[in-house]
Amino acid sequence: MKRFLRQILTAALCLSALGGCMKWDYGRTEDFSATERGLFIVNEGMFQYGNATLSYYDPETKTVENEVFYRANAFKLGDVAQSMVLHNGVGWVVANNSHVVFAIDPDTFREVGRITNLTSPRYIHFVSDEKAYVTQIWDNRIFIVNPKRYEITGHIECPDMTAESGSTEQMVQYGKYVFVNCWSYQNRILKIDTETDRVVGQLTVGIQPTSLVMDRNNKLWTITDGGYEGSPYGYEAPSLYRIDPETFSVEKQFRFRKGDTPSEVQLNGTRDTLYWINDDVWRMPVAGEQLPVRPFLEYRETKYYGLTVDPANGDVYVADAVDYQQQGIVCRYTAKGEPVDEFYVGIAPGAFCWK
């Protein structure tokens, strides 16, 4: 779940952090053969409703198939689908409140394996073919898994966190180190040595860094949301940070106004331009010296919830969650901001994965 939903549901989630149960309903399967290049859309669904789904879009034909996981496997994806990544021809879908990571064939959408008994998984990052890290919320550990055997093999203890305040999110690797942003009621970037599986450094940034990417110059970028008014952790103006992974220090801080809610920092295919959501959709060259004054795409009185950029042609895809209860919409634009397509997906589309 992203920032908006979690602020509303914090109390309920804390009472039932491990309470998301799924009843696997089996029915008739469908055959797919999506061998062409395409885009997966990860739809969170509604918390504790078990209606997370996976959609697949063909940019060439402008066609979308919804609920492909359910249709291919005859059981539901689970409760709160959080993220997806491809590794060595396998798609890995993280179902947060079902405590599972599914491995699927990205052409047929059929399950080929699953990692279970996770606390509340967020993202998966592959260190090698036989080792991956899975970040968590409401757990002060990052899980170490063997993706070939679909087994948990260990944990990375995160300093200065309790199980209740634990929050680790997106991961970026530079050399032998993996960097992780700590989001919910946190304000740090962690540095993990992948040879020892230990946290060897931490960098304090602003309140609640939401996402993490690395540009073409091997600089890390994170964007903070600043918390919210009345938060016990604090409330401040958000910032965009450029971090040097070599020295593990902040090189540049770009400050937003207090009350802004930036999130979803992304890069284009050449990794020289940043994009993010702050009501509008904004973009800025990684060499920029100040925040842009005009948005790339203006706010449409809706709920921009997810963002991705086509690495091949620079088209920008924006997910609109509408009201978090009905089908969401994905809007596609050229790199010049011209509308290309618009299509319906599942409830609360929040993440993307290119194939």
Side-chain angles (χ1 to χ4, degrees), residues 290-319:
Q290 62 182 22
L291 291 173
V293 296
R294 287 185 294 274
F296 169 65
L297 298 172
E298 293 186 352
Y299 179 58
R300 304 193 311 176
E301 298 298 323
T302 186
K303 295 179 177 66
Y304 290 149
Y305 198 53
L307 182 65
T308 191
V309 183
D310 189 330
N313 65 6
D315 281 2
V316 178
Y317 292 71
V318 188

PDB file of all heavy atoms in Angstrom, residues 290-319:
ATOM      1  N   GLN A 290      17.643  23.132  -9.842  1.00  0.00           N
ATOM      2  CA  GLN A 290      16.488  23.574  -9.057  1.00  0.00           C
ATOM      3  C   GLN A 290      15.259  22.806  -9.509  1.00  0.00           C
ATOM      4  O   GLN A 290      15.217  22.255 -10.617  1.00  0.00           O
ATOM      5  CB  GLN A 290      16.253  25.075  -9.224  1.00  0.00           C
ATOM      6  CG  GLN A 290      15.944  25.514 -10.644  1.00  0.00           C
ATOM      7  CD  GLN A 290      15.772  27.016 -10.757  1.00  0.00           C
ATOM      8  OE1 GLN A 290      16.253  27.778  -9.928  1.00  0.00           O
ATOM      9  NE2 GLN A 290      15.068  27.455 -11.789  1.00  0.00           N
ATOM     10  N   LEU A 291      14.266  22.749  -8.642  1.00  0.00           N
ATOM     11  CA  LEU A 291      13.025  22.065  -8.978  1.00  0.00           C
ATOM     12  C   LEU A 291      12.312  22.789 -10.113  1.00  0.00           C
ATOM     13  O   LEU A 291      12.382  24.025 -10.217  1.00  0.00           O
ATOM     14  CB  LEU A 291      12.109  22.001  -7.756  1.00  0.00           C
ATOM     15  CG  LEU A 291      12.558  21.106  -6.606  1.00  0.00           C
ATOM     16  CD1 LEU A 291      11.633  21.283  -5.404  1.00  0.00           C
ATOM     17  CD2 LEU A 291      12.598  19.641  -7.035  1.00  0.00           C
ATOM     18  N   PRO A 292      11.614  22.058 -10.979  1.00  0.00           N
ATOM     19  CA  PRO A 292      10.880  22.710 -12.067  1.00  0.00           C
ATOM     20  C   PRO A 292       9.747  23.577 -11.537  1.00  0.00           C
ATOM     21  O   PRO A 292       9.198  23.319 -10.456  1.00  0.00           O
ATOM     22  CB  PRO A 292      10.351  21.536 -12.891  1.00  0.00           C
ATOM     23  CG  PRO A 292      10.303  20.393 -11.928  1.00  0.00           C
ATOM     24  CD  PRO A 292      11.448  20.593 -10.994  1.00  0.00           C
ATOM     25  N   VAL A 293       9.374  24.588 -12.301  1.00  0.00           N
ATOM     26  CA  VAL A 293       8.299  25.496 -11.886  1.00  0.00           C
ATOM     27  C   VAL A 293       6.980  25.155 -12.569  1.00  0.00           C
ATOM     28  O   VAL A 293       5.917  25.585 -12.113  1.00  0.00           O
ATOM     29  CB  VAL A 293       8.675  26.967 -12.180  1.00  0.00           C
ATOM     30  CG1 VAL A 293       9.874  27.375 -11.342  1.00  0.00           C
ATOM     31  CG2 VAL A 293       8.958  27.190 -13.664  1.00  0.00           C
ATOM     32  N   ARG A 294       7.040  24.396 -13.662  1.00  0.00           N
ATOM     33  CA  ARG A 294       5.816  23.988 -14.354  1.00  0.00           C
ATOM     34  C   ARG A 294       5.769  22.474 -14.452  1.00  0.00           C
ATOM     35  O   ARG A 294       6.782  21.832 -14.750  1.00  0.00           O
ATOM     36  CB  ARG A 294       5.753  24.608 -15.762  1.00  0.00           C
ATOM     37  CG  ARG A 294       5.446  26.097 -15.764  1.00  0.00           C
ATOM     38  CD  ARG A 294       5.273  26.611 -17.182  1.00  0.00           C
ATOM     39  NE  ARG A 294       6.528  26.534 -17.914  1.00  0.00           N
ATOM     40  CZ  ARG A 294       7.470  27.478 -17.888  1.00  0.00           C
ATOM     41  NH1 ARG A 294       7.298  28.557 -17.148  1.00  0.00           N
ATOM     42  NH2 ARG A 294       8.574  27.331 -18.579  1.00  0.00           N
ATOM     43  N   PRO A 295       4.593  21.878 -14.231  1.00  0.00           N
ATOM     44  CA  PRO A 295       4.496  20.414 -14.273  1.00  0.00           C
ATOM     45  C   PRO A 295       4.573  19.870 -15.691  1.00  0.00           C
ATOM     46  O   PRO A 295       4.267  20.568 -16.665  1.00  0.00           O
ATOM     47  CB  PRO A 295       3.125  20.134 -13.656  1.00  0.00           C
ATOM     48  CG  PRO A 295       2.323  21.361 -13.951  1.00  0.00           C
ATOM     49  CD  PRO A 295       3.296  22.505 -13.881  1.00  0.00           C
ATOM     50  N   PHE A 296       4.958  18.612 -15.792  1.00  0.00           N
ATOM     51  CA  PHE A 296       4.942  17.899 -17.063  1.00  0.00           C
ATOM     52  C   PHE A 296       3.503  17.546 -17.447  1.00  0.00           C
ATOM     53  O   PHE A 296       3.079  17.741 -18.583  1.00  0.00           O
ATOM     54  CB  PHE A 296       5.804  16.636 -16.949  1.00  0.00           C
ATOM     55  CG  PHE A 296       5.669  15.689 -18.102  1.00  0.00           C
ATOM     56  CD1 PHE A 296       6.075  16.055 -19.372  1.00  0.00           C
ATOM     57  CD2 PHE A 296       5.135  14.423 -17.916  1.00  0.00           C
ATOM     58  CE1 PHE A 296       5.947  15.180 -20.444  1.00  0.00           C
ATOM     59  CE2 PHE A 296       5.014  13.539 -18.971  1.00  0.00           C
ATOM     60  CZ  PHE A 296       5.414  13.923 -20.233  1.00  0.00           C
ATOM     61  N   LEU A 297       2.735  17.034 -16.492  1.00  0.00           N
ATOM     62  CA  LEU A 297       1.317  16.737 -16.694  1.00  0.00           C
ATOM     63  C   LEU A 297       0.541  17.348 -15.541  1.00  0.00           C
ATOM     64  O   LEU A 297       0.852  17.097 -14.374  1.00  0.00           O
ATOM     65  CB  LEU A 297       1.065  15.220 -16.724  1.00  0.00           C
ATOM     66  CG  LEU A 297       1.747  14.432 -17.842  1.00  0.00           C
ATOM     67  CD1 LEU A 297       1.557  12.939 -17.612  1.00  0.00           C
ATOM     68  CD2 LEU A 297       1.177  14.830 -19.199  1.00  0.00           C
ATOM     69  N   GLU A 298      -0.463  18.130 -15.846  1.00  0.00           N
ATOM     70  CA  GLU A 298      -1.206  18.818 -14.804  1.00  0.00           C
ATOM     71  C   GLU A 298      -2.175  17.891 -14.085  1.00  0.00           C
ATOM     72  O   GLU A 298      -2.687  16.921 -14.651  1.00  0.00           O
ATOM     73  CB  GLU A 298      -1.950  20.021 -15.395  1.00  0.00           C
ATOM     74  CG  GLU A 298      -1.024  21.123 -15.882  1.00  0.00           C
ATOM     75  CD  GLU A 298      -1.789  22.357 -16.323  1.00  0.00           C
ATOM     76  OE1 GLU A 298      -3.036  22.278 -16.394  1.00  0.00           O
ATOM     77  OE2 GLU A 298      -1.150  23.386 -16.582  1.00  0.00           O
ATOM     78  N   TYR A 299      -2.415  18.229 -12.840  1.00  0.00           N
ATOM     79  CA  TYR A 299      -3.355  17.511 -11.989  1.00  0.00           C
ATOM     80  C   TYR A 299      -4.756  17.577 -12.594  1.00  0.00           C
ATOM     81  O   TYR A 299      -5.201  18.633 -13.044  1.00  0.00           O
ATOM     82  CB  TYR A 299      -3.332  18.161 -10.601  1.00  0.00           C
ATOM     83  CG  TYR A 299      -4.262  17.579  -9.581  1.00  0.00           C
ATOM     84  CD1 TYR A 299      -4.200  16.244  -9.225  1.00  0.00           C
ATOM     85  CD2 TYR A 299      -5.197  18.386  -8.933  1.00  0.00           C
ATOM     86  CE1 TYR A 299      -5.033  15.714  -8.262  1.00  0.00           C
ATOM     87  CE2 TYR A 299      -6.040  17.882  -7.962  1.00  0.00           C
ATOM     88  CZ  TYR A 299      -5.963  16.537  -7.633  1.00  0.00           C
ATOM     89  OH  TYR A 299      -6.790  16.018  -6.676  1.00  0.00           O
ATOM     90  N   ARG A 300      -5.474  16.434 -12.598  1.00  0.00           N
ATOM     91  CA  ARG A 300      -6.794  16.365 -13.210  1.00  0.00           C
ATOM     92  C   ARG A 300      -7.904  16.124 -12.195  1.00  0.00           C
ATOM     93  O   ARG A 300      -8.902  15.482 -12.499  1.00  0.00           O
ATOM     94  CB  ARG A 300      -6.831  15.255 -14.273  1.00  0.00           C
ATOM     95  CG  ARG A 300      -5.782  15.394 -15.363  1.00  0.00           C
ATOM     96  CD  ARG A 300      -6.087  14.461 -16.527  1.00  0.00           C
ATOM     97  NE  ARG A 300      -6.373  13.102 -16.091  1.00  0.00           N
ATOM     98  CZ  ARG A 300      -6.745  12.126 -16.931  1.00  0.00           C
ATOM     99  NH1 ARG A 300      -6.897  12.386 -18.216  1.00  0.00           N
ATOM    100  NH2 ARG A 300      -6.976  10.902 -16.484  1.00  0.00           N
ATOM    101  N   GLU A 301      -7.715  16.629 -10.967  1.00  0.00           N
ATOM    102  CA  GLU A 301      -8.709  16.420  -9.909  1.00  0.00           C
ATOM    103  C   GLU A 301      -8.963  14.932  -9.690  1.00  0.00           C
ATOM    104  O   GLU A 301     -10.098  14.483  -9.533  1.00  0.00           O
ATOM    105  CB  GLU A 301     -10.022  17.144 -10.252  1.00  0.00           C
ATOM    106  CG  GLU A 301      -9.892  18.638 -10.361  1.00  0.00           C
ATOM    107  CD  GLU A 301      -9.448  19.294  -9.056  1.00  0.00           C
ATOM    108  OE1 GLU A 301      -9.882  18.826  -7.999  1.00  0.00           O
ATOM    109  OE2 GLU A 301      -8.670  20.262  -9.117  1.00  0.00           O
ATOM    110  N   THR A 302      -7.895  14.164  -9.702  1.00  0.00           N
ATOM    111  CA  THR A 302      -8.003  12.726  -9.518  1.00  0.00           C
ATOM    112  C   THR A 302      -6.888  12.271  -8.591  1.00  0.00           C
ATOM    113  O   THR A 302      -6.292  13.098  -7.898  1.00  0.00           O
ATOM    114  CB  THR A 302      -7.968  12.009 -10.876  1.00  0.00           C
ATOM    115  OG1 THR A 302      -8.220  10.627 -10.683  1.00  0.00           O
ATOM    116  CG2 THR A 302      -6.628  12.204 -11.570  1.00  0.00           C
ATOM    117  N   LYS A 303      -6.593  10.988  -8.553  1.00  0.00           N
ATOM    118  CA  LYS A 303      -5.610  10.455  -7.612  1.00  0.00           C
ATOM    119  C   LYS A 303      -4.511   9.725  -8.374  1.00  0.00           C
ATOM    120  O   LYS A 303      -4.579   8.510  -8.573  1.00  0.00           O
ATOM    121  CB  LYS A 303      -6.291   9.535  -6.601  1.00  0.00           C
ATOM    122  CG  LYS A 303      -7.282  10.256  -5.703  1.00  0.00           C
ATOM    123  CD  LYS A 303      -7.955   9.304  -4.732  1.00  0.00           C
ATOM    124  CE  LYS A 303      -8.894  10.050  -3.789  1.00  0.00           C
ATOM    125  NZ  LYS A 303     -10.036  10.643  -4.493  1.00  0.00           N
ATOM    126  N   TYR A 304      -3.514  10.479  -8.823  1.00  0.00           N
ATOM    127  CA  TYR A 304      -2.353   9.848  -9.431  1.00  0.00           C
ATOM    128  C   TYR A 304      -1.664   8.986  -8.376  1.00  0.00           C
ATOM    129  O   TYR A 304      -1.275   9.469  -7.318  1.00  0.00           O
ATOM    130  CB  TYR A 304      -1.387  10.901  -9.963  1.00  0.00           C
ATOM    131  CG  TYR A 304      -1.893  11.653 -11.176  1.00  0.00           C
ATOM    132  CD1 TYR A 304      -1.511  12.974 -11.400  1.00  0.00           C
ATOM    133  CD2 TYR A 304      -2.733  11.053 -12.107  1.00  0.00           C
ATOM    134  CE1 TYR A 304      -1.963  13.675 -12.516  1.00  0.00           C
ATOM    135  CE2 TYR A 304      -3.193  11.740 -13.219  1.00  0.00           C
ATOM    136  CZ  TYR A 304      -2.800  13.054 -13.418  1.00  0.00           C
ATOM    137  OH  TYR A 304      -3.243  13.737 -14.521  1.00  0.00           O
ATOM    138  N   TYR A 305      -1.477   7.714  -8.689  1.00  0.00           N
ATOM    139  CA  TYR A 305      -1.063   6.753  -7.676  1.00  0.00           C
ATOM    140  C   TYR A 305       0.159   5.935  -8.055  1.00  0.00           C
ATOM    141  O   TYR A 305       0.825   5.361  -7.200  1.00  0.00           O
ATOM    142  CB  TYR A 305      -2.246   5.831  -7.390  1.00  0.00           C
ATOM    143  CG  TYR A 305      -2.175   5.059  -6.105  1.00  0.00           C
ATOM    144  CD1 TYR A 305      -1.958   5.698  -4.891  1.00  0.00           C
ATOM    145  CD2 TYR A 305      -2.362   3.676  -6.093  1.00  0.00           C
ATOM    146  CE1 TYR A 305      -1.915   4.985  -3.696  1.00  0.00           C
ATOM    147  CE2 TYR A 305      -2.325   2.952  -4.917  1.00  0.00           C
ATOM    148  CZ  TYR A 305      -2.102   3.617  -3.716  1.00  0.00           C
ATOM    149  OH  TYR A 305      -2.055   2.907  -2.541  1.00  0.00           O
ATOM    150  N   GLY A 306       0.433   5.838  -9.332  1.00  0.00           N
ATOM    151  CA  GLY A 306       1.579   5.076  -9.817  1.00  0.00           C
ATOM    152  C   GLY A 306       2.135   5.720 -11.063  1.00  0.00           C
ATOM    153  O   GLY A 306       1.445   6.467 -11.762  1.00  0.00           O
ATOM    154  N   LEU A 307       3.409   5.422 -11.361  1.00  0.00           N
ATOM    155  CA  LEU A 307       4.095   6.113 -12.451  1.00  0.00           C
ATOM    156  C   LEU A 307       5.191   5.216 -13.012  1.00  0.00           C
ATOM    157  O   LEU A 307       5.905   4.549 -12.257  1.00  0.00           O
ATOM    158  CB  LEU A 307       4.701   7.405 -11.902  1.00  0.00           C
ATOM    159  CG  LEU A 307       5.440   8.345 -12.856  1.00  0.00           C
ATOM    160  CD1 LEU A 307       4.496   8.931 -13.894  1.00  0.00           C
ATOM    161  CD2 LEU A 307       6.110   9.468 -12.052  1.00  0.00           C
ATOM    162  N   THR A 308       5.321   5.206 -14.334  1.00  0.00           N
ATOM    163  CA  THR A 308       6.440   4.527 -14.974  1.00  0.00           C
ATOM    164  C   THR A 308       6.735   5.204 -16.307  1.00  0.00           C
ATOM    165  O   THR A 308       5.871   5.890 -16.867  1.00  0.00           O
ATOM    166  CB  THR A 308       6.161   3.023 -15.177  1.00  0.00           C
ATOM    167  OG1 THR A 308       7.373   2.361 -15.567  1.00  0.00           O
ATOM    168  CG2 THR A 308       5.118   2.784 -16.268  1.00  0.00           C
ATOM    169  N   VAL A 309       7.949   5.005 -16.793  1.00  0.00           N
ATOM    170  CA  VAL A 309       8.372   5.549 -18.080  1.00  0.00           C
ATOM    171  C   VAL A 309       8.870   4.393 -18.938  1.00  0.00           C
ATOM    172  O   VAL A 309       9.697   3.589 -18.480  1.00  0.00           O
ATOM    173  CB  VAL A 309       9.491   6.599 -17.905  1.00  0.00           C
ATOM    174  CG1 VAL A 309       9.864   7.206 -19.254  1.00  0.00           C
ATOM    175  CG2 VAL A 309       9.056   7.692 -16.935  1.00  0.00           C
ATOM    176  N   ASP A 310       8.355   4.301 -20.164  1.00  0.00           N
ATOM    177  CA  ASP A 310       8.773   3.253 -21.082  1.00  0.00           C
ATOM    178  C   ASP A 310      10.265   3.416 -21.367  1.00  0.00           C
ATOM    179  O   ASP A 310      10.687   4.452 -21.899  1.00  0.00           O
ATOM    180  CB  ASP A 310       7.970   3.353 -22.382  1.00  0.00           C
ATOM    181  CG  ASP A 310       8.190   2.174 -23.313  1.00  0.00           C
ATOM    182  OD1 ASP A 310       9.293   1.592 -23.290  1.00  0.00           O
ATOM    183  OD2 ASP A 310       7.272   1.862 -24.092  1.00  0.00           O
ATOM    184  N   PRO A 311      11.090   2.423 -21.023  1.00  0.00           N
ATOM    185  CA  PRO A 311      12.537   2.566 -21.248  1.00  0.00           C
ATOM    186  C   PRO A 311      12.918   2.598 -22.716  1.00  0.00           C
ATOM    187  O   PRO A 311      14.023   3.027 -23.060  1.00  0.00           O
ATOM    188  CB  PRO A 311      13.131   1.331 -20.551  1.00  0.00           C
ATOM    189  CG  PRO A 311      12.007   0.347 -20.503  1.00  0.00           C
ATOM    190  CD  PRO A 311      10.756   1.148 -20.369  1.00  0.00           C
ATOM    191  N   ALA A 312      12.008   2.181 -23.602  1.00  0.00           N
ATOM    192  CA  ALA A 312      12.325   2.137 -25.030  1.00  0.00           C
ATOM    193  C   ALA A 312      12.057   3.462 -25.735  1.00  0.00           C
ATOM    194  O   ALA A 312      12.877   3.927 -26.525  1.00  0.00           O
ATOM    195  CB  ALA A 312      11.527   1.011 -25.703  1.00  0.00           C
ATOM    196  N   ASN A 313      10.902   4.078 -25.471  1.00  0.00           N
ATOM    197  CA  ASN A 313      10.547   5.291 -26.226  1.00  0.00           C
ATOM    198  C   ASN A 313      10.220   6.499 -25.358  1.00  0.00           C
ATOM    199  O   ASN A 313       9.896   7.565 -25.880  1.00  0.00           O
ATOM    200  CB  ASN A 313       9.378   5.005 -27.175  1.00  0.00           C
ATOM    201  CG  ASN A 313       8.084   4.671 -26.441  1.00  0.00           C
ATOM    202  OD1 ASN A 313       8.004   4.752 -25.219  1.00  0.00           O
ATOM    203  ND2 ASN A 313       7.055   4.285 -27.192  1.00  0.00           N
ATOM    204  N   GLY A 314      10.282   6.373 -24.038  1.00  0.00           N
ATOM    205  CA  GLY A 314      10.047   7.513 -23.164  1.00  0.00           C
ATOM    206  C   GLY A 314       8.593   7.835 -22.896  1.00  0.00           C
ATOM    207  O   GLY A 314       8.298   8.844 -22.230  1.00  0.00           O
ATOM    208  N   ASP A 315       7.640   7.012 -23.389  1.00  0.00           N
ATOM    209  CA  ASP A 315       6.238   7.253 -23.058  1.00  0.00           C
ATOM    210  C   ASP A 315       6.037   7.162 -21.543  1.00  0.00           C
ATOM    211  O   ASP A 315       6.653   6.324 -20.872  1.00  0.00           O
ATOM    212  CB  ASP A 315       5.335   6.234 -23.747  1.00  0.00           C
ATOM    213  CG  ASP A 315       5.089   6.563 -25.208  1.00  0.00           C
ATOM    214  OD1 ASP A 315       5.654   7.560 -25.704  1.00  0.00           O
ATOM    215  OD2 ASP A 315       4.333   5.808 -25.867  1.00  0.00           O
ATOM    216  N   VAL A 316       5.155   8.006 -21.032  1.00  0.00           N
ATOM    217  CA  VAL A 316       4.906   8.088 -19.593  1.00  0.00           C
ATOM    218  C   VAL A 316       3.527   7.503 -19.293  1.00  0.00           C
ATOM    219  O   VAL A 316       2.539   7.869 -19.937  1.00  0.00           O
ATOM    220  CB  VAL A 316       4.989   9.544 -19.099  1.00  0.00           C
ATOM    221  CG1 VAL A 316       4.682   9.629 -17.612  1.00  0.00           C
ATOM    222  CG2 VAL A 316       6.371  10.126 -19.402  1.00  0.00           C
ATOM    223  N   TYR A 317       3.482   6.604 -18.327  1.00  0.00           N
ATOM    224  CA  TYR A 317       2.238   5.966 -17.918  1.00  0.00           C
ATOM    225  C   TYR A 317       1.916   6.395 -16.485  1.00  0.00           C
ATOM    226  O   TYR A 317       2.751   6.248 -15.584  1.00  0.00           O
ATOM    227  CB  TYR A 317       2.369   4.450 -17.968  1.00  0.00           C
ATOM    228  CG  TYR A 317       2.506   3.873 -19.364  1.00  0.00           C
ATOM    229  CD1 TYR A 317       3.672   4.058 -20.103  1.00  0.00           C
ATOM    230  CD2 TYR A 317       1.478   3.121 -19.934  1.00  0.00           C
ATOM    231  CE1 TYR A 317       3.814   3.521 -21.376  1.00  0.00           C
ATOM    232  CE2 TYR A 317       1.610   2.571 -21.208  1.00  0.00           C
ATOM    233  CZ  TYR A 317       2.780   2.788 -21.921  1.00  0.00           C
ATOM    234  OH  TYR A 317       2.903   2.245 -23.179  1.00  0.00           O
ATOM    235  N   VAL A 318       0.705   6.905 -16.283  1.00  0.00           N
ATOM    236  CA  VAL A 318       0.276   7.380 -14.971  1.00  0.00           C
ATOM    237  C   VAL A 318      -0.949   6.585 -14.536  1.00  0.00           C
ATOM    238  O   VAL A 318      -1.928   6.499 -15.280  1.00  0.00           O
ATOM    239  CB  VAL A 318      -0.062   8.885 -14.988  1.00  0.00           C
ATOM    240  CG1 VAL A 318      -0.309   9.384 -13.573  1.00  0.00           C
ATOM    241  CG2 VAL A 318       1.037   9.687 -15.653  1.00  0.00           C
ATOM    242  N   ALA A 319      -0.888   6.009 -13.343  1.00  0.00           N
ATOM    243  CA  ALA A 319      -2.012   5.247 -12.812  1.00  0.00           C
ATOM    244  C   ALA A 319      -2.910   6.152 -11.983  1.00  0.00           C
ATOM    245  O   ALA A 319      -2.440   6.875 -11.105  1.00  0.00           O
ATOM    246  CB  ALA A 319      -1.508   4.086 -11.965  1.00  0.00           C
TER     247      ALA A 319
END
